Amino acid sequence: MTAWSDGVPRGGRHCCGLLRTSRSPGVLLFTPATPLLLAAADGGEGGFHPPSIGDFFPPAILFEGTPFQIDRIWIIRIVATIALLTVFTLAARRAKLVPGRFQAAVEYLLEFVRVQVAEEILGKAHAKRFLPMLTTIFFSILAFNLTSVIPGLNLAGSSRIGIPLLLAVWVFVTYWAVGIRKHGLGGYLKANLFPPSIKDMPFLYVIVTPIELLQILVIRPASLTIRLVANMVAGHIMLVLCFAATQFFLVDSGGAMKPFGVLTFAGGIFITLFEVLVAFLQAYIFSLLAAVYINMSLEEEH
């Protein structure tokens, strides 16, 4: 567990701020043990070392300083991708008319994306067209998120901005391409930048049009990216903080402080379960918003 932290935190204020604002379970940090941990963190080499942003930028393993640099998060992403492909390959090869538990679980998730995301937002007429994209987004994010709670990996593949940004750009390009193909470039821009709902008050376009342009160019992809990254960063910090504190209290601290290890360990178990929920929730939200943005490009008026 101590390998998760690289020493005295860099950017610690930002970590704690994100922790307090991003997740409601962050309240677990404000326990009677908090002053003890803060005091221990200033105690030198033998003290408590809280997590830091440096956890998300581990040392290079190969090709350091090049565009092809390989580090721990890169390897975690490869492992998650191989695991995801293996799951679907096995499910496809062992498919039976009466599915077993494994096949049923995979089919349930596929059905969930088809019905609750694609058909619910896009309607059956368009759902089939965009289902492969939405399914890929959902399962990719789910696989990368779940690595945060897998022993030996302990970091989400989506906790660094590359993967979330890549998926957000895919969504961005798709809803622009769909809108332009449907309405033409002029028609798409007119529908998005000059909402018909305020056509009786054209002076408002001076305010509304720049905001709408900023939304379709920046706000939509940025919101997808930042939401996913922030949640996975906050989750990792909370997990490491709880389990590192547990080790400190049970192993390194004196007898009077050891009972606090039970509290931090219970918090770590709770946050681990919560992280599994968040992994599914963030995959769902990202794919759902992708469908919403595509559907907005298909609509005649906004």
Side-chain angles (χ1 to χ4, degrees):
M1 293 181 186
T2 54
W4 293 344
S5 178
D6 61 348
V8 178
R10 298 186 296 273
R13 291 181 182 178
H14 298 288
C15 292
C16 293
L18 178 63
L19 186 58
R20 288 195 296 268
T21 57
S22 297
R23 305 287 191 89
S24 57
V27 73
L28 290 172
L29 298 183
F30 299 99
T31 68
T34 302
L36 300 176
L37 291 175
L38 293 176
D42 296 328
E45 292 299 324
F48 171 74
H49 299 299
S52 75
I53 292 298
D55 293 354
F56 304 96
F57 300 93
I61 298 173
L62 292 172
F63 312 125
E64 182 176 3
T66 71
F68 307 101
Q69 178 174 304
I70 296 175
D71 59 19
R72 182 181 169 198
I73 289 187
W74 190 93
I75 293 175
I76 287 172
R77 289 170 175 171
I78 294 297
V79 171
T81 301
I82 293 174
L84 185 61
L85 293 174
T86 301
V87 166
F88 279 101
T89 299
L90 291 176
R93 288 184 175 180
R94 300 179 181 181
K96 299 178 181 179
L97 185 61
V98 179
R101 292 181 180 179
F102 174 70
Q103 181 182 339
V106 174
E107 289 180 355
Y108 173 81
L109 290 175
L110 289 170
E111 188 74 3
F112 174 80
V113 178
R114 182 180 67 83
V115 176
Q116 300 300 326
V117 178
E119 292 182 357
E120 181 72 20
I121 302 301
L122 296 166
K124 293 187 177 181
H126 298 294
K128 186 176 181 180
R129 177 181 172 189
F130 298 101
L131 185 58
M133 173 188 179
L134 296 174
T135 302
T136 300
I137 288 175
F138 177 85
F139 282 99
S140 296
I141 294 175
L142 179 60
F144 291 136
N145 288 354
L146 286 175
T147 60
S148 64
V149 297
I150 296 177
L153 300 180
N154 305 114
L155 266 174
S158 53
S159 61
R160 212 158 61 192
I161 202 168
I163 292 295
L165 181 60
L166 179 64
L167 295 175
V169 169
W170 187 14
V171 175
F172 170 83
V173 171
T174 299
Y175 70 71
W176 268 84
V178 167
I180 292 172
R181 186 178 301 172
K182 174 78 174 181
H183 308 288
L185 179 59
Y188 176 67
L189 291 176
K190 180 180 178 181
N192 282 274
L193 303 184
F194 302 94
S197 57
I198 59 172
K199 63 182 179 181
D200 295 331
M201 297 177 287
F203 61 90
L204 290 178
Y205 287 133
V206 177
I207 300 174
V208 173
T209 297
I211 295 175
E212 292 294 330
L213 180 61
L214 186 65
Q215 177 174 250
I216 61 176
L217 285 176
V218 178
I219 295 176
R220 290 180 185 176
S223 65
L224 290 173
T225 304
I226 295 171
R227 180 186 295 106
L228 178 55
V229 172
N231 273 276
M232 303 322 296
V233 166
H236 172 79
I237 291 174
M238 288 192 294
L239 279 172
V240 175
L241 186 57
C242 284
F243 287 118
T246 299
Q247 176 173 325
F248 170 76
F249 285 128
L250 296 181
V251 177
D252 300 325
S253 67
M257 297 174 66
K258 289 187 181 295
F260 287 110
V262 177
L263 178 63
T264 55
F265 181 74
I269 296 299
F270 172 78
I271 294 175
T272 299
L273 297 175
F274 186 73
E275 276 300 289
V276 174
L277 174 62
V278 169
F280 281 90
L281 187 61
Q282 289 304 313
Y284 170 66
I285 291 174
F286 198 110
S287 55
L288 183 72
L289 288 176
V292 169
Y293 295 154
I294 293 171
N295 188 58
M296 291 174 69
S297 295
L298 292 169
E299 292 177 343
E300 295 295 334
E301 294 185 352
H302 302 287

